[in-house]
Amino acid sequence: MTRIDAEPLHSLRERTSEKWRTHPDDVLPLTVAEMDFPLAPPISAALHAAVERSDTGYVYTSLAVATAFAGFARDRWGWEVDPNRVTSTADVSLGIVEVLRQVTRPGDGVIITPPVYPPFFELAPEASARIVEVPLLGGIDDGWRLDLDGIDAAFAAGARAMVLCNPHNPVGLCHAADDLRTLADIAQRHGATIVSDEIHNALLREGAAYSPFLSVSDAAREVGVAVTSASKAFNVAGLKCALVITASDRGDAVRAAFPVEVQWRTGLFGEIASIAAFSAGGAWLDGVRETLDANAALLGELLAQKLPGVRYRIPDATYLAWLDLSALGWGDDPAAHALEHAKVALANGPEFGAEQGRGHARLNFGTSPEIIREAIDRLAALAAGSALVE
């Protein structure tokens, strides 16, 4: 395995994505969930070839990318995906909304489990449903898990669906297979649907166990719809391709009811990049995962040395660190304080859940060790009372 190194800061600042254009050049951006590595060579080659043949039209079918993903899922996790039970669309959030539109009616409750990816708070309202919060149990010290009793009670009170995050952003939790089986049984008992966002599934820490929701039981296949993408693991979010996956007649009926435009919104470049990623990007991905594992450990060492009051748990998956900065006294939104005074941009903790995110921030360590060190040095200097900007 060849380790993949992040690009140098001067090259990264030439990028035009949100991560690199939101803040001025004196800020280190560790916010948006995109990585700082060079594109996987098979993806780059496939995109260049498409440009050379002027292949820039509409997507024809989901079958090619679905078949590529099925092979990837089988090789990586032993998950058997039927390519004929996959519909592509533009991105995971759009896929979740379209599923919710099919399985809920206006005003129905949709369960989410904060702290969780901030757009989850908007997806149910976009589908004319309402949010029901059932926060995760546990915390940084002992880890997190689903509040299965709370979810059961929320379904009993009338919620009709749940958006599961597996692996869970921002805490990096891979939900235990037994918990997922229990969740499926609960949903089946209440006639509810589990929409499982599995976008971070390929970014596993060495030794971590990820269980695709649709793989854990017959009940999960009956009540579940999975939505995933190559976008996080292979850094191709801007190309727009995600997959909505089902494994039962009930799930198939959800996809069959989608408006035709759901698939047509898939980006052809996204499909081309995803096929290359799933078919030929494995070696690159493993090299990136090796770097991320080293970065996660480095972050822990630096925090212990320079910011011992900050609490952090190495995630099972993702390249995202959920940090409890409460001990520093930087207020409910420490990310705002860090940006203003240390020129380090972190993701705003309360946006992941007003209560659960208070005093927290999310840090993206999908970058170089040099940038991580510089960021922690700046935060440590601020904590010591020598802010860069007063």
Side-chain angles (χ1 to χ4, degrees):
M1 183 192 311
T2 301
R3 181 165 161 169
I4 306 298
D5 294 326
E7 295 190 295
L9 186 58
H10 67 85
S11 296
L12 293 169
R13 293 208 182 278
E14 295 177 359
R15 295 186 180 183
T16 60
S17 63
E18 179 187 4
K19 180 178 180 181
W20 292 100
R21 285 292 179 264
T22 299
H23 303 288
D25 284 354
D26 60 346
V27 172
L28 293 178
L30 303 176
T31 50
V32 180
E34 62 182 68
M35 298 187 290
D36 294 346
F37 302 104
L39 200 60
I43 296 176
S44 181
L47 293 172
H48 277 91
V51 170
E52 287 298 318
R53 63 177 180 265
S54 300
D55 193 4
T56 56
Y58 293 107
V59 164
Y60 168 60
T61 174
S62 299
L63 190 58
V65 67
T67 300
F69 177 75
F72 183 82
R74 184 184 309 112
D75 292 345
R76 292 267 157 175
W77 315 299
W79 178 20
E80 295 293 336
V81 173
D82 182 348
N84 293 301
R85 284 178 149 168
V86 178
T87 299
S88 68
T89 191
D91 56 47
V92 165
S93 290
L94 189 151
I96 292 170
V97 170
E98 293 300 334
V99 173
L100 292 177
R101 284 182 171 140
Q102 299 304 322
V103 302
T104 65
R105 294 174 297 183
D108 280 349
V110 174
I111 298 167
I112 63 171
T113 54
V116 75
Y117 180 51
F120 275 24
F121 292 90
E122 306 298 330
L123 301 183
E126 187 175 342
S128 299
R130 60 184 174 82
I131 290 294
V132 177
E133 296 186 33
V134 182
L136 294 177
L137 298 175
I140 286 175
D141 292 336
D142 300 317
W144 297 265
R145 66 178 302 181
L146 295 169
D147 180 356
L148 294 167
D149 290 340
I151 291 168
D152 194 358
F155 279 136
R160 302 303 304 146
M162 171 179 168
V163 182
L164 174 70
C165 199
N166 181 40
H168 192 103
N169 173 8
V171 302
L173 168 68
C174 288
H175 296 288
D178 283 347
D179 283 357
L180 295 178
R181 279 188 280 270
T182 302
L183 175 63
D185 291 342
I186 291 169
Q188 188 173 48
R189 188 166 64 250
H190 292 288
T193 301
I194 305 296
V195 190
S196 188
D197 173 352
E198 306 195 359
I199 197 171
H200 289 279
N201 54 14
L203 291 164
L204 302 181
R205 178 170 55 86
E206 186 66 29
Y210 153 71
S211 299
F213 183 72
L214 296 180
S215 76
V216 299
S217 69
D218 288 340
R221 287 181 278 277
E222 180 68 19
V223 303
V225 179
V227 192
T228 191
S229 173
S231 62
K232 294 305 179 195
F234 293 95
N235 223 41
V236 291
L239 301 182
K240 295 300 178 184
C241 179
L243 305 174
V244 181
I245 306 165
T246 54
S248 67
D249 291 344
R250 175 183 171 185
D252 294 346
V254 171
R255 289 187 304 99
F258 285 166
V260 67
E261 285 294 328
V262 171
Q263 179 176 303
W264 274 65
R265 290 177 185 136
T266 308
L268 183 59
F269 274 17
E271 180 189 70
I272 290 167
S274 298
I275 292 170
F278 294 137
S279 301
W284 179 92
L285 175 61
D286 289 339
V288 165
R289 288 175 55 224
E290 182 178 339
T291 300
L292 294 178
D293 283 359
N295 284 356
L298 172 65
L299 177 60
E301 293 166 6
L302 292 172
L303 290 172
Q305 293 166 8
K306 302 184 178 189
L307 286 166
V310 174
R311 298 166 65 235
Y312 159 64
R313 184 182 187 87
I314 292 179
D316 296 333
T318 79
Y319 44 83
L320 306 169
W322 186 236
L323 304 179
D324 182 353
L325 303 164
S326 303
L328 301 181
W330 293 354
D332 289 351
D333 179 14
H337 189 77
L339 177 60
E340 180 178 0
H341 299 291
K343 303 298 184 183
V344 175
L346 306 173
N348 171 295
E351 290 184 355
F352 293 82
E355 180 64 29
Q356 300 76 23
R358 183 178 298 126
H360 290 67
R362 192 190 72 180
L363 181 151
N364 177 345
F365 58 82
T367 186
S368 67
E370 293 76 18
I371 288 177
I372 294 171
R373 288 191 183 95
E374 172 65 19
I376 299 306
D377 283 346
R378 292 187 185 190
L379 295 176
L382 176 57
S386 53
L388 296 180
V389 177
E390 295 296 344

